[in-house]
Amino acid sequence: MADTTKNTIIRDFRSMSFYQIWIRSFADGNGDGIGDLIGVYDKLDYIKSLGVDGIWFSPLYPSPNADFGYDISDYYDIHPDYGDLDLFKKVLKGAHDRGLKILMDLVVNHTSDEHKWFLESKKSRDNAYSDYYIWKDPKIVKGKKCPPNNWDSLFEGKAWEYVPERDQYYLHIFARKQPDLNMDNPVVRQEVKKIMRFWLSMGVDGFREDVITFISKHPDLPDGNPFIPIANGMPFYKDGPKIQEYLREFRDVCLEYGALQIGEAPMTTVETALLYITGKERTLDMMFHFDHMMADCFLTEYIHRDFNLVKLKSAFSKWQTRLLGKGWNALYLENHDHPRIISRYGDEKNFWRESGTALAACYLFQQGTPFIYQGQEIGMTNISLSSIDKYIDVSSKNNYNNFHTNWPKAKRLKRIMDSSRDSSRTPMQWNSDKYAGFSSVKPWFYINHNYKTVNVEAEEKDPDSILNFYKKCLAIRKENKGLIYGRYFEHFHFSKKLYVYTRRYKNERYLIMISFSNIEEKIKVPKGYDLNEMELLISNYKDTDSIDFYANLRPYEVRVFKNK
Ligand code: GLC
Ligand code: CA
């Protein structure tokens, strides 16, 4: 019988919040310009001071870094750039001593092509690892060897790569250096469970499971719709036929340890998500969906649209209402895969602080478990690098080289500046010293020019900073059960300027008002709410204690009320 009593995370995750670390850019502890576990250890008190309950680490494992850790070459070790297992154990203990849980990234849709399994697998059709990956014979078209189907990869050209030693192609949904594992092979699933046990028995509290909804492929690998480039194969690998069966196996391992599981689910819908996260028999505790990341783009950040608040609200409200009583939301606005949120949905130029705090309030008071990405809490913004050669992310380079090739170069570069994942991967800005306090030497990647003003040290001193606003929001959420469990209602849905939602729980009533406008807006109060009968829990303007609660909302103003 699974013993779920060992870890309280599985019981308490709904009231928790997490901080995501992308270690390479977090804090350099040994002075080589690269973030590492010494750096993390030194910052544990900082992380604790935010009021979060745990850390999710993007991959720490050895990796050739074709996709910065999401191409793993050894699941049982720590990348030498970041430290070693002993150091990891020290961080784990340091975190646990402070009451912080640790979630590891579990990347098992694919490995690195430098993983020993793949190095063996590609040697021949009959070795111990030959069925670890998805190998197919070439399709012969007009006497020529062609890929077995028409799928595109999400990161780099076709989804198939030819290997002469086997005279076969292997599947890679992501980059060429990320061959997909063959999860239909029970031995591969054994390997995954072994990896899970290794980390769980060390004391890790759970996993964020990378593109986990892609692990079960359609057995026939049929051609996709040729008119949907890039995602043409997706219907045949997303939520595949055996997905629940495989996740059940993984779930059982986690339950032995009472560990938490959050699945990343690109392009998922709320209907599909519910199949994973509902009820006691659920195969995942929460899912990261992407719906609310599309309020200024179409399908991917690379295809830009003007920011549309109504679209954002629709996505939020859909998940809030559809999951009510059935599943639990994972809330986020940033991670290592998206450009910075103030640069997208806020106004970094004119209302950096106001819009940064407005964005915090727009999601931290929803029902769900909030995740905060490193640097988000101080309002870090996108970088603009002067040439495509300076960008390093594989998907950004691919977008630049393959799409809109008829556009002038400057326009293409601008698209990359606004959409690149590199913007969320610049070194964390700790203070105004040289190299932003991230390192004592020149860091591995560009630092945002604004580090002299946008940094932890400055914001810790400023009571009105974005950082202090995040801390206050998390503290308020902790103190008010209704903000954790309460039912969500959205009001004035069609307002293009205001986001107004309420939360209700037993006798508690909360009203969250956020302006997304850069000018003053007339306030809108939902029926049945009298602001003069409520107390103001938090606002992002200084003087609100004395102001008329019914006064116009100033640019990006937040007012959060609770009934007295
Ligand atoms: C996930 C990760 C992303 C990575 C991709 C392939 O989306 O978050 O960083 O590139 O999977 O592993
Ligand atoms: Ca280092």
Side-chain angles (χ1 to χ4, degrees):
M1 254 277 283
D3 175 6
T4 56
T5 57
K6 284 184 196 145
N7 200 327
T8 51
I9 195 169
I10 196 79
R11 190 189 68 207
D12 298 338
F13 69 90
R14 293 173 189 83
S15 61
M16 293 181 164
S17 57
F18 289 87
Y19 188 72
Q20 183 194 348
I21 291 183
W22 196 81
I23 193 167
R24 204 169 183 78
S25 285
F26 186 63
D28 175 18
N30 68 349
D32 65 355
I34 298 173
D36 52 48
L37 285 170
I38 303 173
V40 173
Y41 188 80
D42 292 343
K43 300 295 184 191
L44 285 174
D45 286 330
Y46 168 74
I47 297 164
K48 181 72 186 169
S49 78
L50 299 173
V52 296
D53 305 280
I55 298 169
W56 150 32
F57 279 114
S58 273
L60 303 174
Y61 320 97
S63 159
N65 282 338
D67 187 18
F68 290 101
Y70 286 90
D71 48 323
I72 297 172
S73 52
D74 181 357
Y75 290 93
Y76 296 99
D77 207 345
I78 297 292
H79 195 302
D81 283 351
Y82 311 143
D84 56 23
L85 280 173
D86 285 337
L87 195 52
F88 177 76
K89 286 176 192 161
K90 188 174 160 186
V91 170
L92 185 62
K93 180 165 186 319
H96 283 168
D97 288 348
R98 289 166 178 79
L100 296 170
K101 305 285 186 188
I102 296 287
L103 307 176
M104 292 296 264
D105 219 306
L106 184 75
V107 187
V108 292
N109 176 68
H110 45 266
T111 69
S112 163
D113 66 341
E114 296 180 34
H115 192 290
K116 68 166 192 262
W117 299 338
F118 190 77
L119 296 175
E120 289 302 314
S121 189
K122 74 174 192 183
K123 282 185 186 158
S124 68
R125 294 183 183 213
D126 49 7
N127 63 67
Y129 299 93
S130 53
D131 285 336
Y132 269 47
Y133 297 85
I134 300 173
W135 294 97
K136 284 280 163 223
D137 291 341
K139 198 156 121 187
I140 307 294
V141 181
K142 293 187 187 149
K144 267 178 90 187
K145 287 176 189 166
C146 293
N149 70 23
N150 71 350
W151 296 1
D152 291 324
S153 80
L154 297 176
F155 280 180
E156 248 187 337
K158 286 283 151 205
W160 297 93
E161 192 69 11
Y162 181 73
V163 172
E165 290 94 319
R166 290 183 60 135
D167 187 24
Q168 279 185 317
Y169 285 84
Y170 68 84
L171 176 71
H172 63 91
I173 293 176
F174 293 91
R176 236 164 265 141
K177 284 183 70 64
Q178 294 170 298
D180 282 55
L181 282 165
N182 174 16
M183 211 50 83
D184 295 332
N185 179 351
V187 183
V188 171
R189 301 202 299 280
Q190 284 306 333
E191 297 275 17
V192 173
K193 289 181 269 187
K194 205 172 125 196
I195 295 164
M196 293 178 118
R197 286 207 168 88
F198 176 82
W199 294 99
L200 292 174
S201 60
M202 199 185 290
V204 159
D205 302 287
F207 299 107
R208 175 269 190 188
E209 302 179 0
D210 189 65
V211 292
I212 200 69
T213 49
F214 291 2
I215 61 171
S216 161
K217 276 80 176 172
H218 189 296
D220 305 333
L221 305 172
D223 272 339
N225 182 340
F227 299 108
I228 313 176
I230 309 173
N232 54 8
M234 204 175 272
F236 305 108
Y237 58 72
K238 188 167 108 18
D239 309 303
K242 298 270 175 83
I243 182 74
Q244 296 292 353
E245 190 184 310
Y246 299 162
L247 287 185
R248 183 83 255 152
E249 289 184 27
F250 304 159
R251 179 75 175 170
D252 288 342
V253 175
C254 282
L255 288 178
E256 286 168 30
Y257 298 84
L260 188 72
Q261 290 175 285
I262 306 140
E264 187 209 18
M267 317 289 269
T268 202
T269 61
V270 73
E271 291 76 19
T272 314
L274 282 167
L275 304 173
Y276 295 81
I277 57 174
T278 305
K280 274 222 160 78
E281 289 302 306
R282 63 184 186 265
T283 44
L284 294 167
D285 297 297
M286 293 182 275
M287 276 170 126
F288 286 124
H289 70 85
F290 286 48
D291 278 356
H292 61 295
M293 301 313 282
M294 304 291 157
D296 66 350
C297 61
F298 177 66
L299 298 176
T300 120
E301 275 101 347
Y302 191 64
I303 309 174
H304 183 71
R305 300 280 183 272
D306 285 340
F307 171 65
N308 181 332
L309 179 64
V310 178
K311 201 173 166 198
L312 179 67
K313 294 192 290 186
S314 299
F316 280 153
S317 299
K318 179 166 79 185
W319 284 80
Q320 288 292 301
T321 48
R322 296 292 300 279
L323 261 56
L324 184 75
K326 296 186 183 139
W328 194 254
N329 274 289
L331 307 171
Y332 75 96
L333 284 179
E334 281 189 14
N335 61 38
H336 64 293
D337 287 333
H338 304 279
R340 295 288 185 177
I341 204 69
I342 299 185
S343 306
R344 300 181 58 183
Y345 295 178
D347 182 344
E348 74 171 67
K349 227 171 153 194
N350 305 302
F351 296 102
W352 166 72
R353 193 194 65 83
E354 292 80 359
S355 63
T357 45
L359 285 160
C362 92
Y363 89 112
L364 291 176
F365 297 124
Q366 290 184 25
Q367 190 187 69
T369 298
F371 288 74
I372 297 166
Y373 178 65
Q374 69 187 41
Q376 179 189 339
E377 78 279 21
I378 54 168
M380 281 177 67
T381 58
N382 285 353
I383 37 154
S384 299
L385 302 175
S386 58
S387 103
I388 188 63
D389 305 327
K390 295 188 170 162
Y391 285 87
I392 45 167
D393 165 39
V394 56
S395 72
S396 305
K397 283 185 179 297
N398 186 54
N399 286 337
Y400 181 87
N401 292 325
N402 293 303
F403 302 106
H404 303 311
T405 41
N406 55 336
W407 284 9
K409 275 196 171 160
K411 191 174 170 192
R412 273 156 71 192
L413 184 62
K414 177 78 173 74
R415 246 346 295 126
I416 298 300
M417 287 173 182
D418 292 342
S419 66
S420 176
R421 306 194 297 181
D422 285 335
S423 270
S424 56
R425 300 174 178 189
T426 63
M428 178 74 183
Q429 297 163 200
W430 293 101
N431 59 38
S432 60
D433 294 352
K434 204 174 177 192
Y435 309 131
F438 165 76
S439 176
S440 53
V441 301
K442 193 165 185 251
W444 74 280
F445 196 45
Y446 301 96
I447 295 177
N448 194 310
H449 297 307
N450 63 17
Y451 74 93
K452 294 235 180 229
T453 45
V454 180
N455 66 63
V456 171
E457 197 178 286
E459 294 194 34
E460 279 183 333
K461 286 188 206 136
D462 173 6
D464 301 316
S465 64
I466 297 180
L467 175 61
N468 277 312
F469 191 84
Y470 267 89
K471 289 187 191 178
K472 276 182 226 154
C473 288
L474 289 178
I476 289 173
R477 183 178 173 275
K478 268 264 142 78
E479 286 156 16
N480 291 281
K481 270 201 162 174
L483 286 173
I484 297 170
Y485 301 107
R487 192 185 179 120
Y488 165 105
F489 296 90
E490 192 204 327
H491 305 269
F492 314 115
H493 179 67
F494 292 104
S495 166
K496 293 183 176 136
K497 302 290 179 190
L498 304 185
Y499 179 28
V500 179
Y501 63 100
T502 50
R503 303 288 307 278
R504 279 205 218 166
Y505 181 74
K506 300 183 180 165
N507 300 326
E508 297 171 31
R509 298 280 180 279
Y510 301 86
L511 169 59
I512 296 100
M513 284 182 180
I514 303 151
S515 170
F516 275 78
S517 175
N518 54 10
I519 53 170
E520 278 199 16
E521 297 289 335
K522 202 168 154 24
I523 197 165
K524 283 173 182 277
V525 181
K527 264 200 201 113
Y529 285 80
D530 180 351
L531 300 187
N532 293 321
E533 306 262 282
M534 301 185 92
E535 60 168 317
L536 186 71
L537 287 183
I538 189 169
S539 134
N540 59 349
Y541 275 79
K542 261 188 193 163
D543 55 354
T544 10
D545 277 350
S546 56
I547 71 151
D548 172 6
F549 286 164
Y550 283 93
N552 284 349
L553 289 168
R554 288 158 289 185
Y556 293 97
E557 181 159 4
V558 173
R559 288 180 208 158
V560 179
F561 296 95
K562 182 183 184 182
N563 59 337
K564 281 190 191 150

